């Protein structure tokens, strides 16, 4: 399988994800990003007693690729940030079907296969798509994609960057005039809009109740300067005008579908990226994918388009190994979480109070009994088992007492407590935060 890390030549700097050579060379220059003026936004809702189900579809931006990644890398893109913002709201799950190198006609075919329950290969979807890492594995899940889309409450999407990379080849190889560039760009745009709308309609046919949020495209070309002379002012003006046209048309598609009764939203990333391409992307290294700063901008734009706001993690308290969010609120109390033997422990009274759970402490047996709903969990200090509704369950790490001056604090293993009480626990390493949902 081809390497994920691709070294681009200086001449191809503006092409970024264009070309048919390496697996990542065409890896979705879909530089969409979103930002939407929102007021009184209706947030997507999960069904009763169910998590908010999020499905991400699209290209390498949806996957979260950035320069230098390998197949063993863990992406952290805009979709992951949307997932974290959902966890601040309640239980949530994310299924990511981002595919490197995917173009809008390929996405359209993938969604049609998902809707019909048909299995399809990567190369049937799009010529040479199988040369991209993980593309075949993701495409083979088309039937599961269909089922996940039907159950989704929120669907997020980026697509299109790979559609437009040929014009960067035109600029670099042919030195075409601004008028010829305009003609070619208009032709690409004319083909892109129907494919995008068809994909959205297929999604809505599968799930007319879902909230669907998609991004426009940012221009992966910095403004001409004495340093950057690979593009002329006239060509740059054509491209920026094209990005503006695309933004207006995506807004028009979203508005049309909204008028038909669907919850479809577009978010604008072209505006915040303009003039900051060198800051938000790896163009200087020959790759047009966002850096973490760019994915942060995208994540914020999507979150604001979905919930109307973006929540930044609070400053980590001195000496604390991580943040703990319980049902959307930061865990408060005078005692910090503890990381011990690769296990997170939480101060018993603080976490039970945050969860509105009932706590009974038996001093003689040094046993804490916690009740939440129809679940009862009992921990005995130092014991290698716990009781869950009266049943003995083994523990990898026991509860313990921590002495602080003249007082002691009981610490409970988070994973065991959460499993015993039926809570959802998600640890998000990029922001050093544990989310607990009762």
């Amino acid at each position: 399988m081809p390497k994920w890390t691709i070294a681009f030549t200086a001449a191809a700097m503006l092409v970024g994800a264009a070309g048919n050579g390496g697996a990542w060379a065409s890896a979705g220059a879909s530089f969409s990003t979103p930002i939407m003026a929102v007021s009184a936004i209706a947030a997507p809702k999960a069904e009763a007693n169910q998590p908010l189900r999020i499905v991400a579809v699209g290209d390498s931006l949806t996957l979260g690729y950035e320069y230098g990644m390998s197949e063993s890398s863990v992406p952290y893109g805009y979709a992951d940030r949307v997932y974290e913002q959902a966890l601040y709201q309640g239980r949530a799950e994310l299924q990511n079907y981002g595919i490197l190198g995917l173009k809008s006609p390929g996405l359209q075919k993938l969604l049609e296969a998902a809707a019909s329950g048909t299995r399809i290969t990567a190369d049937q979807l799009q010529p040479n798509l199988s040369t991209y890492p993980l593309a075949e594995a993701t495409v083979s899940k088309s039937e599961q994609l269909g089922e996940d889309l039907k159950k989704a409450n929120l669907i997020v999407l980026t697509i299109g960057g790979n559609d437009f990379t040929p014009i960067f080849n035109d600029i670099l190889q042919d030195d075409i005039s601004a008028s010829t560039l305009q003609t070619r760009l208009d032709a690409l745009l004319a083909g892109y809009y129907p494919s995008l709308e068809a994909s959205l309609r297929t999604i809505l046919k599968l799930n007319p109740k879902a909230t669907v949020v998609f991004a426009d495209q940012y221009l992966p070309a910095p403004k001409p300067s004495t340093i950057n002379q690979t593009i002329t002012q006239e060509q740059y003006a054509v491209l920026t005008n094209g990005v503006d046209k695309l933004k207006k048309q995506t807004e028009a598609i979203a508005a049309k579908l909204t008028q038909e009764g669907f919850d479809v939203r577009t978010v604008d990333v072209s505006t915040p990226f303009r003039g900051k391409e060198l800051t938000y992307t790896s163009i200087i290294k020959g790759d047009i994918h966002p850096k973490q700063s760019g994915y942060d901008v995208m994540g914020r734009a999507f979150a604001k388009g979905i919930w109307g706001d973006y929540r930044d993690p609070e400053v980590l308290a001195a000496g604390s190994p991580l943040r703990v969010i319980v049902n959307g609120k930061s865990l408060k109390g005078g005692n910090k979480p503890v990381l011990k033997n690769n296990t997170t422990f939480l101060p018993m009274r603080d976490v039970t109070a945050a969860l509105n759970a009932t706590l009974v402490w038996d001093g003689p047996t040094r046993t804490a009994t916690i009740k939440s709903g129809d679940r009862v969990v009992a921990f005995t200090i130092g014991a290698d088992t716990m009781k869950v509704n009266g049943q003995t369950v083994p523990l990898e790490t026991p509860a313990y007492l921590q002495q602080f001056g003249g007082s002691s604090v009981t610490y409970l293993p988070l994973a065991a407590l959460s499993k015993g009480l039926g809570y959802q626990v998600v640890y998000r390493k990029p922001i050093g935060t544990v989310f607990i949902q009762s």
Side-chain angles (χ1 to χ4, degrees):
M1 183 172 285
K3 298 292 184 182
W4 281 36
T5 303
I6 295 296
F8 290 85
T9 64
M13 180 173 290
L14 294 181
V15 182
N20 297 318
W24 286 95
S26 305
S30 108
F31 285 87
S32 30
T33 103
I35 202 168
M36 178 179 176
V38 289
S39 59
I41 271 188
K45 298 292 184 183
E47 297 177 14
N49 301 317
Q50 296 295 321
L52 184 76
R53 294 189 171 101
I54 306 169
V55 175
V57 291
D59 50 27
S60 55
L61 293 194
T62 291
L63 184 61
Y65 174 80
E66 60 182 305
Y67 177 75
M69 288 181 66
S70 69
E71 288 189 55
S72 61
S73 300
V74 179
Y76 183 52
Y78 83 84
D80 303 285
R81 288 165 165 85
V82 168
Y83 174 46
E84 289 169 352
Q85 292 300 302
L87 289 170
Y88 280 112
Q89 316 292 324
R91 293 194 182 209
E93 295 175 353
L94 170 66
Q95 300 295 329
N96 194 321
Y97 289 90
I99 300 174
L100 299 174
L102 190 66
K103 298 180 180 180
S104 58
L107 175 63
Q108 185 179 346
K109 289 182 181 179
L110 175 63
L111 292 169
E112 289 169 353
S116 63
T118 303
R119 180 164 294 193
I120 190 171
T121 68
D123 289 341
Q124 286 174 326
L125 206 66
Q126 183 177 304
N128 299 317
L129 190 61
S130 63
T131 62
Y132 293 84
L134 306 181
E136 194 69 72
T138 304
V139 173
S140 69
K141 300 175 184 176
S142 58
E143 294 170 287
Q144 185 60 49
L145 170 60
E147 294 304 310
D148 287 340
L149 287 171
K150 290 175 185 177
K151 298 175 184 176
N153 310 110
L154 171 63
I155 299 165
V156 294
L157 165 68
T158 59
I159 194 68
N162 292 310
D163 296 47
F164 298 104
T165 50
I167 60 175
F168 292 102
N169 281 326
D170 291 341
I171 292 172
L172 293 173
Q173 296 173 7
D174 300 338
D175 191 27
I176 60 176
S177 67
S179 60
T180 301
L181 178 63
Q182 182 71 67
T183 299
R184 295 181 183 178
L185 178 58
D186 287 343
L188 288 171
L189 288 170
Y192 173 70
Y193 301 141
S195 183
L196 173 63
E197 183 172 346
S199 291
L200 292 169
R201 288 193 178 279
T202 301
I203 290 172
L204 295 168
K205 183 178 180 180
L206 280 166
N207 189 341
K209 295 182 179 180
T211 297
V212 182
V213 185
F214 68 101
D216 65 357
Q217 304 288 314
Y218 66 80
L219 175 63
K223 190 175 182 178
S225 66
T226 54
I227 297 176
N228 173 32
Q229 298 183 18
T230 55
I231 185 172
T232 68
Q233 289 286 355
E234 292 77 13
Q235 292 169 335
Y236 183 74
V238 170
L239 295 176
T240 53
N241 182 58
V243 168
D244 291 340
K245 283 183 178 179
L246 188 146
K247 177 177 180 294
K248 291 179 180 178
Q249 186 60 33
T250 55
E251 290 172 347
I253 292 171
K256 179 166 69 171
L257 293 172
T258 299
Q259 289 173 355
E260 294 176 21
F262 302 109
D263 185 2
V264 178
R265 313 172 191 181
T266 183
V267 288
D268 165 29
V269 294
S270 61
T271 302
F273 267 71
R274 185 168 298 178
K276 296 184 179 179
E277 295 86 2
L278 296 177
T279 299
Y280 292 155
T281 76
S282 296
I283 287 176
I284 196 68
K285 296 178 180 178
D287 181 279
I288 60 176
H289 289 85
K291 296 189 281 190
Q292 282 300 304
S293 57
Y295 278 122
D296 184 68
V297 168
M298 292 183 66
R300 289 173 184 275
F302 268 94
K304 289 176 181 177
I306 297 164
W307 294 286
D309 196 11
Y310 185 91
R311 180 170 170 180
D312 284 296
E314 295 181 2
V315 176
L316 190 62
S320 182
L322 46 76
R323 303 170 184 84
V324 179
I325 305 296
V326 181
N327 292 334
K329 297 181 180 179
S330 297
L331 181 65
K332 302 299 183 183
N335 301 296
K336 301 178 179 66
V338 171
L339 188 61
K340 184 178 180 181
N341 299 327
N342 294 319
T343 299
T344 300
F345 289 83
L346 299 182
M348 176 182 68
R349 295 192 182 279
D350 292 343
V351 70
T352 53
L355 291 166
N356 294 317
T358 301
L359 170 64
V360 177
W361 172 254
D362 186 321
T365 62
R366 301 205 305 176
T367 298
T369 301
I370 301 102
K371 184 178 187 301
S372 179
D374 60 356
R375 298 286 193 102
V376 179
V377 180
F379 293 90
T380 298
I381 299 300
D384 59 4
T385 62
M386 66 178 181
K387 294 281 189 179
V388 179
N389 286 354
Q391 300 296 313
T392 300
V393 177
L395 277 176
E396 292 185 8
T397 50
Y400 71 93
L401 287 176
Q402 179 73 49
Q403 299 295 323
F404 291 100
S407 62
S408 59
V409 176
T410 301
Y411 275 86
L412 304 178
L414 169 59
L417 172 66
S418 302
K419 183 177 181 180
L421 294 176
Y423 296 157
Q424 182 194 48
V425 175
V426 178
Y427 175 56
R428 296 297 299 164
K429 185 176 180 179
I431 58 173
T433 302
V434 169
F435 293 90
I436 306 173
Q437 315 289 352
S438 62

